[in-house]
Amino acid sequence: MDESSVHNPLIWGQGSGHANVRRKTPLSVTLAKWILKIAMLALFISWIALMFLFPADFVQKLFEKWIQATNGTIFGITGSLFLLFSGPILLIAVLSIAYLVISGEEELHEKKPSKYPSFRLWTFPVLVDGPFGVVSAAELIGILLFVVFVIWAVYAYTMSILSLMSDQLTFKEKSCLFLEILGLRFGLIGMFCLAFLFLPVARGSVLLRFIDIPFEHATRYHVWLGHLTMLLFTIHGLLYVVAWTIEGRLLHEILEWRDIGVAILPGVISLSAGLLMWVTSLPPVRKLNFELFFYTHQLYVIFIVFLALHVGDFIFTMAAGGIFIFILDRFLRFCQSRRVVDIISAKCLPCGTVELVLAKPENLRYNALSFVFLQVRELSWLQWHPFSVSSSPLDGKYHISVLIKVLGKWTEKLRGNILENSEKEIPFSPHSKITASVEGPYGHEIPYHLMYENLILVAGGIGISPFLAVLSDILHCVREGRPCRLRNILIVWAVKRSDELSLLSTIDMDSICPSFSSKLNLETCIYVTRESEPPLEEGKVQNTQDFSLCPTSKSCGMSVLVGTGHTIWSGLYVISSMVGFVISMGLLDIFYINPFHISSWWYKGLLFVVCMITSVVIFGGLVVGLWHLWERRILAKEQFEDDKLNIDKAEHKETVAREDSHLAKLSGIRYGARPDFKEIFETVSQNWGHVDAGVIVCGPPTLQSSVAKEIRSHNFRRQSDHPIFHFNSHSFDL
């Protein structure tokens, strides 16, 4: 291997053309991006500070003055609270759209690597064991901020309540009053947490794209916030139940549905739905019966609607911003999932893993660490399952691949369906059609695996799937002369049995980039943990069950109607829906609520939710319809027809047909052993020197914890000439 080629980052390729021309970002664009960043940061800090300091007396006085000053406007108190508590996050979303449009396609060479390796809060693991899993320094700061906020708010409200207690009241009256007011305050704290709860699960939202947090990471934050929010709401309900029980009016109160004030019965229904979702989402229940978790989680509709009926419109506005962004994403996902997607081919590997190749349009972009949600209607009309993409966007313009390990009932049925169809004498009969729908893809805004010069990929079992896509992506970049900084790659893969090695047959490195070994230092270490020696049939090519599906005229590639599909269209969709919501609320106030003196809290809360939904469906739906027409026009212009699809399909088959992939030849396979990460990181430290080294882990939680623990230990006791390891997780655990 040429030593200079290994130690020099592959920032510039060997080819010629526009791919290698460095384009300097105009000063005006850079200045605009900085202004938008500062504005969004100022808005976010102000928003957080408002909620954090809200329990303080001086903030309460300022809040009362704000309400009095804006009470005479068209939107009244509801508009005032919406502007304070939901306006900032919606404005940040609009500014994020502007930022993404200005940025355009982010070029890797615009982000210069750090000259001196340094620690980063997002990639430095601090907690590696415990209920939160692996927690980075930045995530720990976020957790501590929420904990401090809850403790501070409870303390401030408790002191305020005690100061209101009159000596003329009896002990029983004081106790009941204290419990009821404290329960009210716990509900208010829960509303502040609810303002964040739905933001992480808006999969394709501009907010997640702007801060470049992929959905699989954001899901963890939703889980943490869900536990905290439901804990606060449960305490809120229990305090009222205890107070009403002491007073002897429990049954009367929980059945109360008053017009003016808080309606109790809708709150009971909302809390009951929330408790069902909470209990079934706990890890023991979720792992035992995923279907139960999935179906009960659809009760979020009941939870939100009856919460609005419970608290009324003006209190509901405190959390409406995050919920509105979630509704935007949910409607767009609904539109995308209506399309039937071609399955170009389906294959069962010897290890039982299923490989599906799905059709996609050329203009649907994704990166090698993306996820898609897949629905197969022959198995279930309601279940959607997330899978890592196993193909690089450079593998082909018109297809995307996923590897699916058989782990549960749904995946077992899918494998059985494929095996049954592969055994039929007429493979293209109507009964052999698998009807699939796709949501996504979702992932990082830019391929961060290409931003490291040194990379360690640690996989467990089917966790190798996204790394096959990463490796293919890197090889394509090297071959085509695209920006790529990587010079050292180490792959560590642990499998239970040797039949899983057939997963390596899905990539042929020699056909992608025959000369990669002279430009890239690639090492692989494979561990077969439950076999002490190679099986007798090792090296023999095992047959795979494979069949192809004829695309019909009614089906086609994946829809680009996704938040990550097109920045301008998704931005127009978000902005038009927001404008539509303001118009809807204004018309409702002018022509219905004010003239007819509508004062029922629960009814106005219901109207508020209806306006949120209708504004997305009508105003946003109009943009989605135009977006769909634009998509059809683009597809027609690109002549996305069966002949091109078949060419791409043939290219894919040619790529994966070889069983003796070069990756398998490079592998050092150890039987009956497990990875010793201490030894691995020490060896890497000696060979790579003082550099930033990215570590991406895809596998079970135990594997993530083991790697994170060793990274934390190494970074704490590292020598000055050793690498700084950056932990990145790529595991989707629902």
Side-chain angles (χ1 to χ4, degrees), residues 450-515:
L450 296 178
M451 300 184 65
Y452 290 105
E453 295 183 8
N454 308 275
L455 190 62
I456 301 176
L457 305 175
V458 183
I462 193 61
I464 195 66
S465 172
F467 297 155
L468 296 175
V470 166
L471 193 56
S472 176
D473 203 44
I474 294 169
L475 294 175
H476 278 291
C477 288
V478 173
R479 185 188 70 180
E480 299 174 14
R482 295 172 178 263
C484 180
R485 297 176 182 150
L486 280 159
R487 59 184 182 183
N488 295 303
I489 302 176
L490 172 62
I491 300 175
V492 181
W493 185 28
V495 297
K496 293 180 180 179
R497 303 195 180 279
S498 57
D499 59 358
E500 295 184 57
L501 300 181
S502 59
L503 294 173
L504 300 179
S505 66
T506 60
I507 181 174
D508 185 359
M509 298 170 60
D510 284 331
S511 66
I512 297 174
C513 183
S515 60

Side-chain angles (χ1 to χ4, degrees), residues 86-104:
S86 294
I89 194 64
L90 296 179
L91 183 55
I92 291 173
V94 173
L95 295 178
S96 298
I97 296 169
Y99 182 89
L100 292 172
V101 171
I102 291 175
S103 299

Side-chain angles (χ1 to χ4, degrees), residues 352-606:
T353 299
V354 173
E355 182 189 29
L356 296 182
V357 182
L358 307 169
K360 65 172 276 297
E362 182 180 5
N363 61 330
L364 180 61
R365 66 187 185 93
Y366 70 100
N367 65 57
L369 288 173
S370 295
F371 281 90
V372 294
F373 280 74
L374 181 65
Q375 176 207 57
V376 178
R377 298 182 181 180
E378 284 75 13
L379 306 182
S380 174
W381 278 79
L382 297 177
Q383 290 190 42
W384 292 81
H385 293 264
F387 299 104
S388 298
V389 171
S390 61
S391 61
S392 163
L394 303 177
D395 283 335
K397 298 179 180 179
Y398 303 106
H399 79 264
I400 187 171
S401 303
V402 293
L403 290 172
I404 302 172
K405 184 177 182 179
V406 177
L407 290 175
K409 297 179 181 178
W410 189 89
T411 50
E412 181 64 41
K413 290 179 181 177
L414 176 63
R415 181 173 180 270
N417 193 315
I418 293 172
L419 290 175
E420 179 183 354
N421 285 309
S422 65
E423 294 172 357
K424 290 183 178 180
E425 295 182 1
I426 306 176
F428 300 133
S429 64
H431 299 288
S432 66
K433 182 69 179 176
I434 297 180
T435 308
S437 295
V438 177
E439 290 182 3
Y442 308 104
H444 281 274
E445 188 67 9
I446 57 176
Y448 71 95
H449 58 278
L450 296 178
M451 300 184 65
Y452 290 105
E453 295 183 8
N454 308 275
L455 190 62
I456 301 176
L457 305 175
V458 183
I462 193 61
I464 195 66
S465 172
F467 297 155
L468 296 175
V470 166
L471 193 56
S472 176
D473 203 44
I474 294 169
L475 294 175
H476 278 291
C477 288
V478 173
R479 185 188 70 180
E480 299 174 14
R482 295 172 178 263
C484 180
R485 297 176 182 150
L486 280 159
R487 59 184 182 183
N488 295 303
I489 302 176
L490 172 62
I491 300 175
V492 181
W493 185 28
V495 297
K496 293 180 180 179
R497 303 195 180 279
S498 57
D499 59 358
E500 295 184 57
L501 300 181
S502 59
L503 294 173
L504 300 179
S505 66
T506 60
I507 181 174
D508 185 359
M509 298 170 60
D510 284 331
S511 66
I512 297 174
C513 183
S515 60
F516 78 92
S517 58
S518 63
K519 304 183 178 92
L520 196 64
N521 181 19
L522 175 63
E523 299 179 34
T524 59
C525 297
I526 297 180
Y527 298 83
V528 182
T529 60
R530 295 191 180 180
E531 292 180 3
S532 57
E533 58 184 13
L536 295 177
E537 65 273 13
E538 186 184 34
K540 184 185 298 183
V541 177
Q542 295 176 290
N543 293 327
T544 61
Q545 301 291 334
D546 186 8
F547 79 104
S548 300
L549 301 172
C550 263
T552 65
S553 59
K554 295 182 180 180
S555 58
C556 51
M558 298 160 55
S559 172
V560 299
L561 298 178
V562 59
T564 57
H566 193 278
T567 302
I568 294 179
W569 277 113
S570 59
L572 290 174
Y573 165 69
V574 172
I575 294 174
S576 64
S577 299
M578 290 182 183
V579 173
F581 175 66
V582 174
I583 293 174
S584 301
M585 287 298 299
L587 293 176
L588 191 66
D589 281 333
I590 294 173
F591 295 104
Y592 182 61
I593 292 179
N594 294 332
F596 291 92
H597 305 289
I598 304 298
S599 58
S600 297
W601 285 25
W602 67 268
Y603 185 52
K604 292 174 72 175
L606 177 62

